[in-house]
Amino acid sequence: MPRQVGELAVPVKPVAASTPLADVQAILREDPLLPGVVVRAVDGQLRLLSRVHVEHAAVPGLDRVPTMGDLPPAETLKLRASTAVDVAAEAALARPSATRDDAILITWPHNRYGIAPMLDLIAAMARRYVRLTRTDALTGLANRHALTTRGEEWLREHTDGALLVIDLDRFAEINEALGYQGADQILRQVSAALTEAAGDDDIVARLDGDQFAVLLTDRPEAGTEAGPDGWTERIAHQLAQRARGPFTVTGIPVSVEMSIGVAHTAQAGNDVDTLLRRATMAMQVAKRARTGVEAWDPHAAAARGTDLRLMAELRAATTRGQLRLHYQPLIAAADGRPHGVEALVRWQHPDRGLLPPGVFLPDAERSDIIIDLTDWVLAEAIGQAATWRSAGTPMPVSVNISAAYLAQERAVATIAALLAVQQVPADLLTVEITESTMMTHPERAATRLGALRKLGARVSVDDFGTGYTSLALLPELPIDELKIDRSFVSRMVDSAPHAAIVRTVTDLAKSLGVTVVAEGIEDEPTADALRALGVDLLQGYHFARPQSPELLQLPGLSRQRC
C-alpha cells in the first residue's frame, strides 16, 4: 500500500526545451506506459507536459522544426517524493478544474524526477481509504468493522468456532507509568504477540483502547494437544501466556495480564455482534473474579440481569437503613493489643439476608453508587469512633476510599465536616486507598491525600504489592502506612519467594518511616513469621473475624452503638 507519492511515480529524465517535438512524440509512441514528459526550460525551470498534450501538439507557422520549448506553458504541480499520498491527493484536487486531471511532477534528491499519474493517485487513495476503514491505525490489526465483515462471511459457511474478547488488566496504570507513547508500544507488541500466537486462518482484531478480539476458526481434531474438549479455553490460556510479555519499553520490562471472555459460535444466535456481546460479558466475569478466562454461560447471563436489579436496590439501601458496618481489629505485633479497627460494609438485604461486600462492591465501584455508599460508610464509621471516644475508649478506625470518591472535589471537605460534626480527632481516622487508586491519577491522589494528612488523618496504601510502579511513587506520596496484600501473606510460610516479597516490602516501609500492616493472617506460624520480620500490625481471621460493634470484643472497648 503506497504511503508516499514517490512510490506511484514513473522515473523520467528531463528533456531540454530545444529537443524536437517529433523526437519526444516518437519516444512516447515507443513507451505506451510513459505518462508524459518533463521539459527543462532555458532558465532551468521544469514543467510537466502530459502524454495527451504532447501527442496532439502542433505548432503551425514556424519556418523551422518545432521544439518542446515552442509548446504553450502548462501549470505544473511539483511535489517531493516523500509527500504522503493523502497530502498529495489533497493538493492535486485543489487545482483548477481544467488542470485537476493532470499528472504531478515528482522530485527526488540529487536531481532525479518522475511523473505520478492522477489516476494512480486516486486509485491509491481509494485503496488507502478502504484499508483505513478496515484496519486499526495503531496496530495494523483488523478493526471492529473488518472483524464483523470477515466474521459474518466465515459464519455463513462454518458453525464450529469461537470468538475471544481480550481486555488488558489495569492498563490505565501502564498509561500512567509509561505515558501514552510507551503504552502504545505495549499495545503494538501485544498485537504482534497475539497475531503470532493465533492460527493462520484466525482473525485478530483490535476493538478499542486496550481491548482485542480473536475469532478462532480452526478447531483442533480429537487427540491433539488442544482438544477438542475445552479447546477454546485452552487456546485462550495459551494466547494469554504468549502475549503477556515481558515487553521492554524504554529499558523497562513490563508484563501484561489479561482477562478473556469466550463465546462459542455453535450456540444459538451466532452473528458477530451477538458473539461480541456474549464474549464481553464473559470477559467482565473473568476480570471481576480474576480467573483469567471465562466462557459465556446463558444461565450466568440471566443472573447478570439480577445483578443489575441488585444495584438498583443498593442505591435505595443507603437511605433505607439496610447497610451495616462490621469492624475487624488490627493487632499490635509487639504486645498483642488492639491498635485500631477496619470498617467493612455489609448489606442486610430484605430478601437475601446479610450480604458480604464481594457480592455488591465490585459492581458498585463501577458506578456512581460508590459515592453515596462511601458517604454512608464514612459517616457511620466516624460516628462509631465518636461513640467509643465518648465512652472513654478511643479506637482508631480505618475506612476504604475508592478512586472515584477520591476524585471528587468535595472528598476532603466532606471528611473534614464529618470529623468536625462528630468532634472526632482526625488522628482517629485512617483512610485506606489501593495502589490502583494511586496510579489512576498520581498527582491528584497526592494532592488529596496531602490535604487529608494536614487535617491530621492517616493514609494507608491497601493491597500493596499488586501494582506496577508504586515503588517509584512511594517516596513522593503522603502516606503513613502500607498494608501488604493477603496474596503474599497467606503463602509466605510455605513459599520462599512470597516470604522474600514480604521481607522486601517491610524493609522498604521501615526505610520510609511508615507503619507496616499484614492482612489475611489465618494461623499462628504466619503471625510469628511476620513478627520476626518486624511487621507492626497484624490483621486476619486468626485474631478476629469482622463483627458488628455490639459483638466486637476488645479489651476495654465499649459496646455502645451510636
Side-chain angles (χ1 to χ4, degrees):
M1 182 72 67
R3 293 180 176 272
Q4 299 178 344
V5 69
E7 299 174 53
L8 303 172
V10 177
V12 296
K13 290 184 178 181
V15 299
S18 59
T19 304
L21 173 61
D23 291 353
V24 174
Q25 290 174 331
I27 292 173
L28 292 177
R29 285 194 296 273
E30 292 175 2
D31 188 352
L33 298 180
L34 196 62
V37 62
V38 177
V39 179
R40 188 187 300 277
V42 175
D43 60 2
Q45 295 295 315
L46 298 174
R47 59 191 180 110
L48 172 62
L49 297 175
S50 70
R51 167 182 283 273
V52 173
H53 194 145
V54 175
E55 286 179 336
H56 296 86
V59 187
L62 291 179
D63 57 359
R64 57 178 174 78
V65 175
T67 66
M68 295 301 296
D70 295 323
L71 299 184
E75 293 291 333
T76 299
L77 175 62
K78 183 167 67 174
L79 297 174
R80 292 181 178 178
S82 58
T83 304
V85 166
D86 51 349
V87 174
E90 185 177 0
L93 294 173
R95 293 179 293 183
S97 57
T99 60
R100 197 169 293 161
D101 294 336
D102 291 351
I104 303 168
L105 173 61
I106 305 301
T107 66
W108 284 279
H110 309 300
N111 296 320
R112 294 185 298 119
Y113 305 96
I115 302 174
M118 189 60 186
L119 183 61
D120 290 356
L121 182 59
I122 293 174
M125 279 300 299
R127 291 193 297 271
R128 183 173 175 81
Y129 174 76
V130 170
R131 179 176 173 82
L132 287 175
T133 62
R134 301 173 66 88
T135 305
D136 176 64
L138 176 66
T139 64
L141 296 178
N143 60 14
R144 183 186 291 266
H145 172 70
L147 173 68
T148 301
T149 302
R150 295 170 59 189
E152 293 292 354
E153 291 174 356
W154 186 84
L155 287 170
R156 280 195 287 270
E157 299 181 5
H158 305 82
T159 59
D160 201 359
L163 182 68
L164 312 184
V165 167
I166 303 168
D167 190 86
L168 306 187
D169 294 338
R170 300 159 67 184
F171 193 72
E173 297 181 23
I174 295 180
N175 256 326
E176 292 290 344
L178 302 178
Y180 291 115
Q181 290 186 348
D184 284 350
Q185 289 187 47
I186 293 293
L187 290 174
R188 283 190 286 265
Q189 292 183 74
V190 169
S191 301
L194 288 173
T195 301
E196 183 179 350
D200 292 340
D201 296 325
D202 295 340
I203 302 172
V204 183
R206 182 184 178 213
L207 300 178
D208 187 26
D210 60 350
Q211 198 167 98
F212 300 84
V214 180
L215 180 61
L216 301 178
T217 62
D218 188 13
R219 184 177 190 264
E221 299 295 333
T224 64
E225 182 180 353
D229 295 332
W231 67 280
T232 52
E233 288 80 358
R234 290 192 180 98
I235 291 178
H237 281 293
Q238 292 169 7
L239 285 174
Q241 184 64 31
R242 295 179 63 178
R244 68 180 300 177
F247 306 108
T248 301
V249 178
T250 62
I252 302 172
V254 179
S255 294
V256 178
E257 300 297 331
M258 55 193 68
S259 298
I260 303 178
V262 180
H264 294 272
T265 60
Q267 293 166 319
N270 58 346
D271 59 276
V272 172
D273 285 343
T274 299
L275 291 171
L276 278 171
R277 185 171 63 253
R278 290 173 175 175
T280 299
M281 291 172 63
M283 178 272 293
Q284 291 167 346
V285 172
K287 188 174 288 287
R288 286 197 302 270
R290 298 183 180 181
T291 53
V293 177
E294 291 287 342
W296 181 78
D297 181 349
H299 302 295
R304 180 64 181 160
T306 302
D307 291 342
L308 294 176
R309 290 192 296 272
L310 195 67
M311 287 299 98
E313 294 170 352
L314 178 60
R315 192 180 296 276
T318 59
T319 59
R320 293 178 179 173
Q322 297 175 2
L323 299 180
R324 306 284 185 268
L325 278 189
H326 287 190
Y327 298 87
Q328 187 173 36
L330 284 79
I331 305 300
D335 56 17
R337 296 179 60 83
H339 184 273
V341 293
E342 181 180 0
L344 302 165
V345 68
R346 304 289 189 267
W347 180 8
Q348 188 65 53
H349 192 278
D351 299 320
R352 301 172 61 176
L354 189 66
L355 300 180
V359 174
F360 58 90
L361 268 187
D363 285 327
E365 289 178 343
R366 286 188 289 271
S367 74
D368 62 352
I369 299 174
I370 194 64
I371 306 301
D372 293 339
L373 182 60
T374 305
D375 279 336
W376 182 90
V377 171
L378 282 166
E380 186 74 5
I382 292 172
Q384 183 61 60
T387 298
W388 286 329
R389 180 171 179 267
S390 65
T393 53
M395 181 62 62
V397 178
S398 299
V399 176
N400 291 278
I401 301 294
S402 69
Y405 193 86
L406 193 64
Q408 294 188 107
E409 293 288 342
R410 69 172 180 88
V412 176
T414 299
I415 294 172
L418 290 170
L419 291 168
V421 168
Q422 295 288 355
Q423 298 182 340
V424 172
D427 61 2
L428 288 181
L429 175 67
T430 297
V431 172
E432 293 191 9
I433 61 168
T434 62
E435 284 191 271
S436 58
T437 298
M438 289 195 307
M439 292 300 299
T440 302
H441 292 287
E443 293 181 0
R444 182 173 64 191
T447 300
R448 301 279 162 79
L449 297 177
L452 286 172
R453 290 187 83 203
K454 286 183 180 179
L455 290 176
R458 290 170 54 81
V459 174
S460 175
V461 179
D462 196 11
D463 299 336
F464 185 78
T466 60
Y468 282 99
T469 59
S470 295
L471 292 179
L473 286 175
L474 280 178
E476 311 299 327
L477 288 170
I479 62 174
D480 303 282
E481 181 179 285
L482 287 183
K483 295 187 77 171
I484 305 175
D485 185 67
R486 65 180 65 247
S487 63
F488 302 118
V489 172
S490 63
R491 298 180 59 187
M492 64 175 294
V493 173
D494 301 319
S495 170
H498 286 79
I501 291 173
V502 174
R503 181 184 303 108
T504 300
V505 172
T506 302
D507 292 343
L508 172 65
K510 295 296 184 182
S511 69
L512 296 174
V514 302
T515 301
V516 187
V517 182
E519 59 182 350
I521 303 167
E522 298 188 358
D523 54 54
E524 187 60 24
T526 302
D528 285 339
L530 291 164
R531 292 188 190 101
L533 291 177
V535 171
D536 300 299
L537 299 176
L538 310 176
Q539 181 182 0
Y541 283 4
H542 177 62
F543 301 102
R545 290 178 176 270
Q547 296 283 359
S548 64
E550 298 84 357
L551 299 178
L552 190 64
Q553 296 182 2
L554 295 175
L557 186 64
S558 169
R559 297 188 188 180
Q560 289 180 316
R561 181 72 177 87
C562 64

